[in-house]
Amino acid sequence: MIRTDILIIGSGIGALSVASELCKYNKKITIITKGLRKACNSSLAQGGISVALSDEDDYHWHYEDTMVAGCNINDADAVMKLVSTAPQVILDFINTGMIFDKDSTGNLAFGREGAHRLNRIIHAGGDRTGLRVVEQLLRNITTNVNIVQNEMALDLRVNNSKCSGAITRSFKTGEISYYQADYTILATGGIGQLYPSTSNDITITGDGMAMAYRAGCKLKNLEFIQFHPTMLTINGKAYGLVSEAVRGAGGILVSDKGEKIMEKIHPQKDLAPRDVVAREVYARYLKGEKIFLDISDIDNFREKFPTVTEICEEHGVNVDDKMIPVAPGAHFHMGGVEATPEGVTNIDGLYAVGEVACTGVHGANRLASNSLLEGLVFGKLLADHIVKTPRKAEEFEDKIPESKLDRLPEKQEIQKQMMEFVGIVRHTGKIHTIIDWFEKFVPDKNFGKLDIINTDNEKLEIYNMLTAGWLIAKAAESRKESIGAHYIVED
């Protein structure tokens, strides 16, 4: 048994934000991460952080833009807490040594992205914001934090709706570890790898959501999955994200015939909400059209977007030609484990932060650059809550179920099915097809407890993908109207 005050599963911005705050209180903190410490979506995030810090901005406008992008089904109180708290959190983060990009006058440089009424996005290292933020948070963490790499969380240790830690297994040694913790925090990211094309890290397979479901957590808004309109795509294969900031800087989506495809689709044209842009790009992609991001109007592209430049040229696309081939890919999950802005779930002692959590701030469609902000701000709120909420984990013996898996599909088959039935466009009469397909792989048809000790990491990862996909499909079938990222076509 390994004893720790706080167990954090995941190593992205949400996880590190909590850890960096709790370091101040001499807590023993353990972070376990499925890959290396920087292997997370946060490190890959090219976009910036939206925050009302410019003299021309007001957090009430940030609130309104967030609500509109989310189709007004957002949790209004959570949104207000996010945007009103954000300016001070960012200023405090800068005071720890974080350096954001400056304009020619030496002040913070503000960029613009889709559905924002004005420039309010701050960046670091051009399009390397996520990585720079992760690196700064790692610098802020003290020696009280033990980061265990290449360790997969298998299940949460829950008894009578109380969580006392988690069971894990090392990828390197296969050793099983039982962690006992007063506070257990899910920060495992989203579900991007359930789809064939995604901006997400290879480790993001819905593990947190699947574990939470098995533990009895309430889940919310699972049908809302944001697809990013511009993944670098060559011969049908995606190779990385082309940040929305490129369109914010003047990039224009065009067809292979030179037509500006968003011109008559939405008043904000190329800076329309992501679901609108993704559907238009996808519709043309299905017709066999090739779509490009025309960057002719962006000066000093290589300097402004070093990551995009690197990804393009690594795969034979010369940015000096001014045309980047793109197609949509799974990007962000608005749904997840139902949680308050402070990370509180319906399971005592279990918290959720970042993309795995559904606090309601994103509604049906996330506003660009609100995700890194959510991780930083709500990570701090969660840390503050823990400090004010004394708790001791109960000791109990884990009872591992005996149910085993007879057969499992390949990951690629799951991805193909997800894109066809619960992708960018969903057909009302067909969603049940994938639900039936998922259920044929499990004995009890409700994805309950599993003999995790005798199920290796690779099989468990596939089981988690099946569980997450099944939950998403059932949520999609239940919501009958099109709204935001859940776009329904009647058969």
Side-chain angles (χ1 to χ4, degrees):
M1 184 77 67
I2 301 171
R3 184 74 176 83
T4 186
D5 295 330
I6 295 147
L7 177 66
I8 303 175
I9 305 172
S11 61
I13 282 175
L16 298 177
S17 177
V18 177
S20 64
E21 287 295 322
L22 290 174
C23 281
K24 305 169 186 175
Y25 299 94
N26 200 33
K27 298 283 187 182
K28 185 179 181 183
I29 303 165
T30 302
I31 294 175
I32 60 173
T33 183
K34 200 172 168 185
L36 300 177
R37 65 180 64 195
K38 293 182 186 179
C40 57
N41 284 349
S42 298
S43 293
L44 299 175
Q46 296 174 6
I49 298 174
S50 57
V51 58
L53 272 176
S54 74
D55 294 338
E56 294 77 29
D57 205 356
D58 186 296
Y59 70 78
H60 291 93
W61 294 344
H62 189 184
Y63 166 88
E64 291 171 3
D65 290 349
T66 299
M67 294 295 293
V68 169
C71 303
N72 288 297
I73 70 164
N74 322 54
D75 183 309
D77 291 339
V79 175
M80 182 56 75
K81 186 169 283 190
L82 176 72
V83 300
S84 63
T85 308
Q88 190 58 53
V89 170
I90 297 302
L91 291 174
D92 290 344
F93 188 40
I94 291 171
N95 287 336
T96 71
M98 180 65 200
I99 299 173
F100 289 103
D101 297 342
K102 304 291 199 317
D103 61 21
S104 57
T105 66
N107 295 314
L108 283 173
F110 293 94
R112 190 174 180 187
E113 294 183 19
H116 288 272
R117 70 183 67 189
L118 44 67
N119 290 25
R120 68 160 64 95
I121 317 296
I122 56 175
H123 295 86
D127 57 5
R128 291 183 171 140
T129 308
L131 180 59
R132 295 286 173 86
V133 171
V134 166
E135 289 171 343
Q136 182 61 44
L137 287 169
L138 284 170
R139 285 192 288 269
N140 293 349
I141 286 175
T142 67
T143 53
N144 284 341
V145 180
N146 178 33
I147 300 179
V148 183
Q149 303 181 96
N150 296 308
E151 186 98 355
M152 183 173 178
L154 307 180
D155 243 349
L156 297 165
R157 304 181 70 207
V158 174
N159 191 34
N160 296 325
S161 295
K162 294 182 179 180
C163 184
S164 299
I167 306 171
T168 71
R169 178 166 44 220
S170 168
F171 276 101
K172 289 186 175 180
T173 66
E175 182 181 354
I176 298 285
S177 296
Y178 291 82
Y179 285 88
Q180 183 176 12
D182 300 328
Y183 310 86
T184 303
I185 300 168
L186 282 174
T188 51
I191 48 81
Q193 288 295 334
L194 267 65
Y195 291 88
S197 177
T198 181
S199 62
N200 286 199
D201 188 81
I202 192 68
T203 60
I204 308 300
T205 52
D207 302 329
M209 193 169 86
M211 284 191 293
Y213 168 74
R214 293 195 290 271
C217 271
K218 291 181 179 178
L219 306 171
K220 183 179 179 182
N221 290 353
L222 302 187
E223 64 272 29
F224 297 123
I225 298 165
Q226 185 176 85
F227 285 79
H228 201 289
T230 55
M231 297 284 296
L232 172 67
T233 304
I234 304 166
N235 296 325
K237 185 174 180 180
Y239 291 97
L241 184 68
V242 180
S243 171
E244 188 165 299
V246 174
R247 281 176 284 135
I252 299 171
L253 286 161
V254 299
S255 70
D256 44 8
K257 298 175 183 176
E259 178 189 359
K260 296 179 180 179
I261 70 168
M262 293 304 298
E263 193 74 21
K264 298 177 182 179
I265 301 298
H266 192 277
Q268 290 177 291
K269 300 178 183 178
D270 292 88
L271 290 178
R274 284 180 180 168
D275 62 310
V276 177
V277 183
R279 280 196 298 273
E280 182 61 22
V281 175
Y282 186 60
R284 289 172 176 264
Y285 185 75
L286 289 179
K287 292 176 184 176
E289 293 185 38
K290 293 182 179 178
I291 304 300
F292 297 87
L293 196 53
D294 183 346
I295 58 173
S296 302
D297 291 338
I298 304 177
D299 296 328
N300 304 316
F301 184 89
R302 292 173 179 273
E303 179 183 332
K304 291 176 181 175
F305 300 102
T307 303
V308 175
T309 299
E310 187 177 299
I311 293 170
C312 285
E313 301 200 334
E314 184 180 337
H315 295 96
V317 175
N318 187 348
V319 296
D320 293 335
D321 293 337
K322 306 298 184 183
M323 290 288 180
I324 300 174
V326 294
H331 186 54
F332 188 87
H333 195 197
M334 278 72 75
V337 179
E338 186 172 344
T340 68
E342 294 78 22
V344 178
T345 74
N346 65 301
I347 303 291
D348 180 33
L350 179 65
Y351 302 85
V353 67
E355 192 174 346
V356 72
C358 180
T359 60
V361 292
H362 305 304
N365 193 24
R366 175 174 65 84
L367 181 67
S369 288
N370 267 358
S371 55
L372 296 184
L373 182 72
E374 181 191 19
L376 282 171
V377 173
F378 287 174
K380 183 181 186 307
L381 294 184
L382 171 51
D384 292 343
H385 173 82
I386 286 174
V387 171
K388 297 172 185 174
T389 312
R391 184 182 186 278
K392 280 292 180 185
E394 294 182 359
E395 292 190 21
F396 66 90
E397 185 176 341
D398 298 277
K399 296 178 182 178
I400 305 299
E402 296 180 357
S403 56
K404 293 179 172 59
L405 301 171
D406 294 327
R407 61 195 180 97
L408 289 170
E410 297 291 327
K411 289 182 181 179
Q412 292 80 2
E413 184 61 20
I414 296 173
Q415 293 167 340
K416 178 185 174 184
Q417 296 278 344
M418 287 293 289
M419 193 64 191
E420 181 175 352
F421 294 105
V422 279
I424 296 174
V425 177
R426 291 96 184 259
H427 296 263
T428 53
K430 295 181 179 178
I431 297 175
H432 204 79
T433 303
I434 193 173
I435 295 174
D436 291 340
W437 184 79
F438 282 133
E439 290 178 352
K440 74 180 183 181
F441 292 104
V442 292
D444 58 5
K445 298 197 175 186
N446 70 356
F447 292 85
K449 288 288 187 178
L450 180 71
D451 179 6
I452 57 169
I453 301 300
N454 294 304
T455 303
D456 64 37
N457 285 7
E458 186 175 354
K459 286 183 179 178
L460 182 59
E461 191 173 68
I462 292 174
Y463 184 69
N464 287 340
M465 291 173 71
L466 285 172
T467 304
W470 177 72
L471 290 165
I472 289 165
K474 287 178 74 69
E477 187 180 49
S478 296
R479 189 176 289 274
K480 304 302 182 184
E481 78 280 15
S482 285
I483 184 167
H486 177 63
Y487 191 76
I488 286 284
V489 174
E490 296 286 343
D491 290 320

